[in-house]
Amino acid sequence: METEIWQVTEGEAGRRAIARAAEILRRGGLVAFPTETVYGLGGNGLDPQAAARIYAAKGRPSDNPLILHIASREELAPLVQEIPPAAQRLMEAYWPGPLTLIFRKSKVVPYETTGGLDTVAVRFPSHPAAQAMIRAAGLPVAAPSANLSGRPSPTTAQHVAEDMNGRIEMILDGGPVEIGLESTIIDVTGEIPLILRPGAISLEQLRRTAGAGDWDPAILGKPDENLRPKAPGMKYRHYAPQAELTIVTGLPEAVAAKIGALAAEKQREGFRVGILCPEESRERYDAALVKTVGTRAHEETIAHNLYRCLREFDQEKAEFVYSEAFADGPLGEAIMNRLVKAAGYRILPAGGGDEKIP
Ligand code: TXA
Ligand code: MG
């Protein structure tokens, strides 16, 4: 299959691209499209065959449910059994935006889309191209992140093309995304809202808006046989870089010294070594593959660049990568959640000891 790539620019050309995407979606095809978080791989959310095609294109297990994307609050009601008061408040505060809510599903949502669950994930993205496409298609658009299973989520149309060329009908190129990490997922079906996946909307924001809220206990720390994450996707290793990634924690000087020493040792042994650091400590490293992921002063920049840097290490065939930790501000939870998983929970305190800690 030839994958069409269209730019979503302002004006007539952009409108034609959106119309073409909508036509493909209505006919059961797949279209990758930009959102404010990461690129999504969209199909008709009410069509079991489209869901099957999405799983096939990603190489993803079909028990991992998809998020339905809508383009107005009114489109929610037919998809769900009820809209609890906490959900209402969260929608008013953060929709459109990087927030996915889990509801009890109505009959119109096929089990193929929800991975067999009685609940459904719904998000109203703020990206204008995503909204225009969903509106033009006139459908809820089921969309996981547009990466092959096991790769970092795509934050540019080029990343999507690397993974999806020849596997889907179309890519809408809207340039680099804004946030760079997937949406916060909040389950509003229980007594108190639970965060199933950290993202740009923080626990503090949830509590302030809904009056209560907590983490799904299963996503704190290492996966535990007896504690299953409520978001099925969170149980997977997710992204496993080709390199062995290690996060080094501690005071800045100690971290830089430890990473420098580890990198030098591996380089002496003849390996390709990468280092991931913020601008603040760039000067402290002189190994070949040092990547500056952003600045600690604006952790948004770290979220924005993280997946791109991880993809680049893969492309450059790094064999060992050492990263500083980025657990500082409100986005720190989301950044570290992705980084720690990519590292397979390999975290090294700079003070010594090489045991793995969650
Ligand atoms: O920002 C985002 O959320 C992006 C953009 C494209 O919107 N989408 C995204 O989708 O990250 P995906 O499929 O890569 O991740 C969806 C996550 C998975 O961990 C899945 O298990 C969880 O949402 N999920 C979906 N439906 C669920 C449900 N009914 N109950 C619990 N978790 C659910
Ligand atoms: Mg994903």
Side-chain angles (χ1 to χ4, degrees):
M1 173 192 317
E2 178 102 27
T3 301
E4 303 169 19
I5 303 183
W6 294 58
Q7 313 288 323
V8 271
T9 45
E10 300 272 307
E12 188 46 36
R15 277 194 290 278
R16 275 210 309 277
I18 296 292
R20 175 77 183 139
E23 183 193 331
I24 290 172
L25 289 170
R26 278 196 303 266
R27 286 208 315 243
L30 305 185
V31 177
F33 62 100
T35 81
E36 67 278 22
T37 57
V38 299
Y39 272 76
L41 172 54
N44 179 351
L46 304 181
D47 173 5
Q49 282 175 358
R53 289 202 55 213
I54 290 174
Y55 290 119
K58 272 183 76 80
R60 172 175 182 158
S62 59
D63 70 339
N64 192 358
L66 307 173
I67 297 173
L68 289 185
H69 294 68
I70 57 177
S72 72
R73 292 195 181 87
E74 292 69 56
E75 287 162 56
L76 175 64
L79 305 175
V80 304
Q81 283 184 25
E82 57 182 349
I83 303 176
Q88 197 67 50
R89 287 196 288 274
L90 288 164
M91 287 157 55
E92 274 157 28
Y94 300 113
W95 273 9
L99 172 66
T100 296
L101 295 172
I102 309 282
F103 300 92
R104 280 179 228 291
K105 81 172 194 70
S106 73
K107 287 209 175 71
V108 304
V109 180
Y111 280 109
E112 285 80 358
T113 300
T114 68
L117 297 177
D118 290 318
T119 53
V120 62
V122 186
R123 180 159 107 78
F124 176 4
S126 65
H127 197 292
Q131 290 185 1
M133 182 194 79
I134 298 163
R135 220 171 278 132
L139 302 161
V141 173
S145 49
N147 52 287
L148 283 175
S149 205
R151 301 259 291 151
S153 295
T155 57
T156 66
Q158 285 70 34
H159 295 167
V160 177
E162 279 166 29
D163 287 12
M164 290 297 156
N165 219 347
R167 304 173 79 93
I168 62 176
E169 277 76 8
M170 182 181 189
I171 299 172
L172 276 179
D173 181 353
V177 301
E178 179 196 336
I179 297 173
L181 296 178
E182 304 86 343
S183 59
T184 304
I185 301 179
I186 300 180
D187 183 343
V188 289
T189 63
E191 288 275 297
I192 63 163
L194 289 182
I195 297 187
L196 309 192
R197 178 176 72 182
I201 309 293
S202 66
L203 179 60
E204 285 63 41
Q205 285 172 304
L206 164 62
R207 286 182 174 156
R208 213 180 314 129
T209 308
D214 226 322
W215 298 110
D216 172 6
I219 67 164
L220 301 171
K222 251 179 174 164
D224 176 336
E225 296 281 298
N226 305 312
L227 210 54
R228 292 184 54 184
K230 294 185 80 177
M234 297 295 281
K235 71 176 180 278
Y236 299 108
R237 164 88 179 273
H238 218 87
Y239 162 60
Q242 280 147 35
E244 183 183 294
L245 171 64
T246 304
I247 303 167
V248 179
T249 60
L251 296 173
E253 286 79 25
V255 167
K258 182 87 180 168
I259 289 179
L262 289 165
E265 188 184 320
K266 288 293 176 200
Q267 277 184 323
R268 269 198 305 277
E269 292 169 16
F271 292 108
R272 273 180 83 71
V273 180
I275 292 175
L276 192 65
C277 67
E279 275 168 27
E280 285 79 356
S281 52
R282 175 66 186 82
E283 299 283 285
R284 294 192 168 125
Y285 303 108
D286 55 10
L289 279 180
V290 185
K291 287 191 196 300
T292 308
V293 64
T295 162
R296 289 192 189 278
H298 300 284
E299 54 168 3
E300 294 81 4
T301 58
I302 296 173
H304 183 83
N305 294 316
L306 181 67
Y307 286 147
R308 175 179 56 77
C309 290
L310 293 174
R311 273 181 184 259
E312 286 173 5
F313 280 130
D314 275 355
Q315 253 158 14
E316 291 155 13
K317 308 232 176 316
E319 293 166 287
F320 290 88
V321 173
Y322 300 98
S323 177
E324 296 193 9
F326 306 100
D328 313 312
L331 258 178
E333 227 29 270
I335 296 169
M336 289 309 287
N337 172 266
R338 310 312 195 271
L339 192 62
V340 164
K341 279 192 179 188
Y345 302 87
R346 207 169 7 255
I347 305 174
L348 210 60
D354 59 358
E355 75 280 19
K356 289 185 190 178
I357 55 168

